Amino acid sequence: MGKASILLVLKVSMISICTGWITLWLLKPTNFWTKKWKAAEASAKDTVFGYSGLDFAVYTFPVIALAMIGLVYLNFQRWEQKSRQIIRSPVAVFSNPVVISHVIGILSSLEILAVFFFILFLAWTFYARISQDFKKLKPDESLKLELWQLKYLRVATRFGLLAEACLALLLLPILRGLAVFRIVGIQFEASVRYHIWLGTAMIFFATFHGGSTLLIWGVSHHLQDEITKWQRTGRIYLAGLIALVTVLVMGITSLPQIRRKKFEVFYYMHHLYIIFLVFFLLHAGDRHFYMIFGGIFLFGIDKLLRIIQSRPETCILSARLYPCKAVELFLPKSPGLKYNPTSILFMKINSISKLQWHSFSITSSSSVDNHTMSVIIKCDGGWTSCLYDMIRAQLETDADKMKCIPVAIEGPYGPSSMTFLRYDSLLMVAGGIGITPFLSILHELSSAQSSSRYRLPSRIELIYIVKKPQDIGLLNSISSLLQNHPSQKWHLKLKVFVTQEKQTGATVGEILHYETSQVQTVHFDTKGPIYAIHGPESMLWFAALAGIASIVFLVFLICFNRVFVPSEKKGLHSSKLAVSSKEKSPKEKNPSWIADIIILSSFIISLACSSLLAIILRWRRLRKEIPLVSQKEEKVKELSLMETKSAIEEHEVHFGGRPDLEDVFSKFLNEPGGSNIGVLVCGPETMKERVASLCQQKSKCCKIADQNKKAYLSFHALNFTL
């Protein structure tokens, strides 16, 4: 009851903060807010807090507080031990696919509502601002613009505010440790597309804003004068031009044609975001920067914590080379590191590339393997092919053990709960290397059947679509689960479809046994200190670090402002004779870049303090060396897998074509097993779209066999990589 009350309080707090922050953005374009806010800033100038502290507390801190409270909420929710609820949550209805398109992908009703309200907000912001501008429109004496030019210039200026609104949310979807979207059950790998949408919209608005402004200046023959003018106060236009060029370079190199074929170009150019944000600050000024600073603040902390977490490097314990040109890596992990199925980790191997990080699904279960974790990598790209060739070359030297391969690991990151346990039945559809998330799910189900806390799905069907029979060897680790022992609380049915080869007479057991016999195992040299993977810090520590960083930032912000920016009282004392309502405040008499430098300096100091604390925490966790799994234990495990030769007659293998997924769904629904069905898919986008479309159709018209209940299919698309 105590934890339930805490969860309720935290949830209400998050809803209140989120509602208040959204209301703030809605009121900001109105005259009411402008008058009230100017009065509030004027009152705060004479206090220790200052106008800068007020801007940070009102505009920036709500986002940071939402992330902190969300992490505490997830921590309590994770430890709340509950049995699986058979009755589905009402929210789950809105997470099923509604729109399925090749262009925008698969959208749920919640996503459609969120996009609709965001577009409505942008329209409201633009209308509120531009209507006020046109009412107060006055001729520009310096530029001497015509009426249409002046109006067009105001429209271009207000498009800059729309880009600012997109930038305020841009970095939130790509947070990992401090992930805000994880509060509503959206994982990092799924929320990346929101980052792409927001980035595309921001580039469009920023390009219109900058391009139209330059056009008007060019038409009025003031382009060179305005660009080269470095204002003492207000907008710095040259900084805006540099920010615009930088974001255009980032956007162009992020196009799918470049990102997929020239990943390094995309990766390196994306680090120009540092230059973009600095020059955006110089162009927009500190007051506008506070509106978008929440996401930047969280991203800066998150990035540094990820860098610290990936140090020191660990080593690969062993590897398995599959005939289908895939490699399975075994990595040492701390027994205390727990993660849920479908989690991903990020990996960097300096001997291949010192900058490239690649994400992979974890195929093992922390409930089964206490000292190791594994990933399976399909080697069909530049980086992955280099890894495969590196291991293959050493294997062919006939050496007993390969030289240790250092590897930096970040993660694992994954769902906070095992949602697949709430379903009566599971239908899993995998294509190629998309099988990897389902391997971890099956291992977890095998482990969970001995626990009385969980009520497992009674029926599981796995549809596996591959190009060649060699790919079936990736099921090696679950070969014992395919036998469906009588002691199992759940029944697994496997249907394999081989699309590019025609063959008859072979069974799943025969193919799996043959492909397993072709697997080559390599053990690496583990002499010397090898650090186990400890994973990220706890959610509570993440929340504490974010809170400490925000406090340090605010303290230094106030101190720097007191030292470098004269207070209003001092300014008025030195100019008693010049008393006028139109007189500029002392802050406005100082160059605008002073406030910008103060923000940057305070931010850097706050990051340094939180990083130092994170390094100390990391060092304390690594003081005690974790014993590694011995090579003897690994060999025993391999031999036990090889001895699994029993025929698996009930499973099916089909050659020469793709499956008729509609027929597969119909047969699955005609078998008894409950009306609450989870449908999980991982593979090519076309496969996901087809499965999502079938979930729509079958949920509307089909009923469960021998029952009067209508089938309810909950759709979940998984990503095995980014």
Side-chain angles (χ1 to χ4, degrees), residues 663-721:
D663 181 62
V664 169
F665 270 70
S666 298
K667 290 181 178 179
F668 186 80
L669 293 174
N670 286 330
E671 297 175 4
S675 60
N676 192 14
I677 300 171
V679 180
L680 287 68
V681 58
C682 185
E685 291 301 319
T686 53
M687 177 191 295
K688 293 179 181 179
E689 292 167 7
R690 177 57 178 157
V691 173
S693 178
L694 286 170
C695 283
Q696 278 184 320
Q697 298 173 16
K698 301 298 181 181
S699 291
K700 294 177 181 178
C701 61
C702 292
K703 293 184 178 180
I704 297 299
D706 302 328
Q707 296 183 29
N708 292 323
K709 292 183 179 180
K710 182 182 288 188
Y712 181 78
L713 283 71
S714 297
F715 175 82
H716 300 275
L718 306 178
N719 295 320
F720 56 89
T721 186

Side-chain angles (χ1 to χ4, degrees), residues 12-23 61-63 65-66 69:
V12 171
S13 301
M14 288 188 292
I15 294 174
S16 302
I17 292 173
C18 187
T19 304
W21 194 64
I22 294 173
T23 305
F61 189 71
V63 181
L66 183 64
I69 297 174

Side-chain angles (χ1 to χ4, degrees), residues 68 217 385 398:
M68 293 166 55
W217 287 345
S385 295
D398 295 329

Side-chain angles (χ1 to χ4, degrees), residues 63-64 67 154 164 199 286 320 330 354 358 392 397 468 506-507 523 541-542 580 631 639 659 679 686:
V63 181
I64 303 172
R154 299 310 300 168
E164 178 185 300
D286 58 331
R320 290 176 183 162
F330 292 88
K354 295 185 180 297
H358 293 266
R392 170 69 67 181
T397 59
K468 297 181 179 180
T507 64
H523 298 288
W541 272 116
F542 267 120
S580 173
Q631 304 296 338
L639 288 174
V679 180
T686 53

Side-chain angles (χ1 to χ4, degrees), residues 344-478:
I344 64 171
L345 58 77
F346 290 80
M347 181 183 300
K348 181 183 71 170
I349 300 179
N350 286 330
S351 55
I352 300 177
S353 174
K354 295 185 180 297
L355 294 175
Q356 283 194 45
W357 287 88
H358 293 266
S359 61
F360 304 102
S361 290
I362 301 176
T363 57
S364 58
S365 168
S366 59
S367 302
V368 177
D369 301 317
N370 288 325
H371 296 283
T372 61
M373 63 194 309
S374 61
V375 295
I376 297 179
I377 303 171
K378 186 71 173 179
C379 303
D380 54 3
W383 188 91
T384 53
S385 295
C386 286
L387 173 63
Y388 188 88
D389 294 339
M390 180 190 302
I391 299 174
R392 170 69 67 181
Q394 293 292 334
L395 183 65
E396 293 174 354
T397 59
D398 295 329
D400 289 338
K401 291 186 179 181
M402 290 176 54
K403 186 179 179 181
C404 174
I405 300 179
V407 54
I409 297 296
E410 182 191 316
Y413 305 108
S416 56
S417 61
M418 295 185 288
T419 55
F420 56 88
L421 290 176
R422 68 169 179 254
Y423 298 112
D424 301 321
S425 302
L426 281 179
L427 177 61
M428 302 185 293
V429 183
I433 194 62
I435 190 66
T436 50
F438 299 131
L439 298 179
S440 62
I441 289 177
L442 292 175
H443 283 302
E444 190 69 32
L445 286 171
S446 177
S447 172
Q449 67 178 348
S450 60
S451 174
S452 59
R453 292 204 325 259
Y454 303 115
R455 185 176 178 182
L456 305 180
S458 59
R459 183 170 56 113
I460 301 172
E461 186 166 305
L462 174 60
I463 310 298
Y464 188 27
I465 306 168
V466 297
K467 293 181 178 179
K468 297 181 179 180
Q470 289 87 347
D471 296 326
I472 301 177
L474 298 180
L475 301 174
N476 179 27
S477 63
I478 62 167

